Amino acid sequence: MEPHLANWLIQRHQQAVRRKPDHPKAWSKLYTICTQELRPAEFVQFCEEIIKAHPGNRHAWTFLQLSTKDDAEPRDLLAFAKEVVRLHPDDENAWTRLDGAYEGEEDDFDRIGFAKEITKQQPINPCALSRLALAYKNQGKYTELISVCFQLLTAKPDDAQTWCNLADAYAARCKYDDAIASYEKAIALKPNYVVAWNNLGNVHHLQAQYDKAIEAYQKAISINSGDATPWVWLCLAYAEMGKPKEAYEAVKKVEKCLPLVASMLTEELAEKFSTAAVG
């Protein structure tokens, strides 16, 4: 195509996208003409321009990834995702794209460093703090996790996930009373929070409060009966209470989803109750 005509068409389609950045046909036409004219760099630059103005525009991100999949270095995409977050530090969509750019990174060092960079500018930035909380939880840094959870709760006091993370940190440090209080707060905010019910049961279980543990596990089961995890814990709690019938009934539920775990539980129950019978 004659260069002047190609320039005119590209500019025309760019204007159409700027007017309606969420219109897929406008994006497709622009992508097609840039591809035909072997001008991918220009298209990439335009995608980045739109993303910087509209970080949540999924078409811009999709076409950016499509046009750079063979040439761009992962670090380049990561650097751009960081730039977008710096421009829009409160935009969850920008952070979600950054999460995607970090996929495959085995070390959280850079992720933590970047989140801290943002919190230096905005100490109570929920997006950055939530990433720090996840990274610290994955690393088992519970002192840091507790500190970040308190910062998050300053910004979002009714966030059930943060209360559950705080409870997990307390439980890991054997601060069981604080853990129970935090799980109960998470459940009050989100009554069908299966993870919180399971973990609350685990804390009671660790304290040999088996009746309370069973009550929590049964609540988790009532919310999602197809989840094998609370059935496993229920089996173990009944075993500790010396209730073989109930323990074996729980194993039957585990067997449907986790046959290997069910087999191990059956062996453990057989040994426990045969020993008890002999004694």
Side-chain angles (χ1 to χ4, degrees):
M1 186 183 296
E2 198 272 332
H4 291 297
L5 177 58
N7 288 340
W8 178 77
L9 284 172
I10 289 173
Q11 290 173 9
R12 184 168 176 264
H13 292 313
Q14 286 177 340
Q15 290 172 358
V17 170
R18 288 191 183 99
R19 285 195 301 270
K20 295 182 178 180
D22 293 321
H23 199 287
K25 286 187 177 180
W27 277 103
S28 294
K29 289 178 179 179
L30 177 60
Y31 176 71
T32 299
I33 186 65
C34 287
T35 301
Q36 289 175 347
E37 294 303 306
L38 303 178
R39 294 164 67 170
E42 188 173 344
F43 181 74
V44 168
Q45 185 177 3
F46 181 77
C47 289
E48 292 179 346
E49 172 196 323
I50 297 299
I51 289 169
K52 288 175 183 178
H54 307 283
N57 187 289
R58 62 185 181 88
H59 300 302
W61 282 108
T62 298
F63 278 105
L64 176 64
Q65 292 168 338
L66 179 64
S67 56
T68 59
K69 65 179 181 179
D70 295 325
D71 302 320
E73 290 290 331
R75 302 304 299 181
D76 294 336
L77 294 176
L78 178 59
F80 176 67
K82 287 181 178 179
E83 182 182 356
V84 175
V85 168
R86 289 189 183 101
L87 291 170
H88 304 276
D90 297 315
D91 192 292
E92 180 62 32
N93 287 316
W95 282 94
T96 298
R97 294 294 178 175
L98 178 59
D99 294 338
Y102 272 119
E103 284 185 8
E105 293 280 333
E106 295 181 1
D107 194 342
D108 279 334
F109 181 79
D110 188 76
R111 190 193 304 256
I112 290 173
F114 181 75
K116 285 183 175 179
E117 174 190 326
I118 299 300
T119 58
K120 287 180 181 178
Q121 304 165 23
Q122 296 184 354
I124 309 298
N125 181 297
C127 297
L129 290 172
S130 64
R131 270 70 184 182
L132 280 176
L134 179 59
Y136 287 143
K137 186 174 181 179
N138 289 339
Q139 292 182 342
K141 294 184 176 180
Y142 299 113
T143 299
E144 292 87 344
L145 176 57
I146 289 170
S147 176
V148 168
C149 285
F150 278 123
Q151 289 176 274
L152 267 171
L153 291 171
T154 300
K156 300 169 67 177
D158 295 333
D159 185 63
Q161 175 67 63
T162 301
W163 281 105
C164 191
N165 286 339
L166 179 61
D168 289 344
Y170 280 139
R173 297 188 64 192
C174 300
K175 294 187 175 182
Y176 297 131
D177 290 342
D178 290 331
I180 289 170
S182 297
Y183 283 131
E184 288 177 344
K185 179 66 176 179
I187 289 166
L189 292 166
K190 189 178 177 181
N192 289 341
Y193 199 166
V194 174
V195 172
W197 279 111
N198 267 332
N199 293 356
L200 175 61
N202 291 161
V203 173
H204 286 308
H205 200 133
L206 287 169
Q207 295 181 294
Q209 298 172 346
Y210 300 119
D211 287 332
K212 291 182 178 180
I214 287 171
E215 183 179 347
Y217 299 145
Q218 288 176 335
K219 180 61 179 180
I221 289 167
S222 71
I223 297 168
N224 182 10
S225 60
D227 183 5
T229 301
W231 287 108
V232 172
W233 287 109
L234 194 62
C235 169
L236 295 173
Y238 280 132
E240 292 293 341
M241 296 178 74
K243 295 185 175 182
K245 179 181 177 181
E246 291 85 347
Y248 279 112
E249 286 297 321
V251 170
K252 292 179 182 178
K253 300 294 185 179
V254 177
E255 192 171 16
K256 294 180 180 179
C257 300
L258 301 171
L260 180 59
V261 174
S263 177
M264 293 171 65
L265 288 171
T266 300
E267 290 179 10
E268 185 172 334
L269 292 177
E271 181 178 350
K272 180 180 182 65
F273 290 114
S274 63
T275 302
V278 171

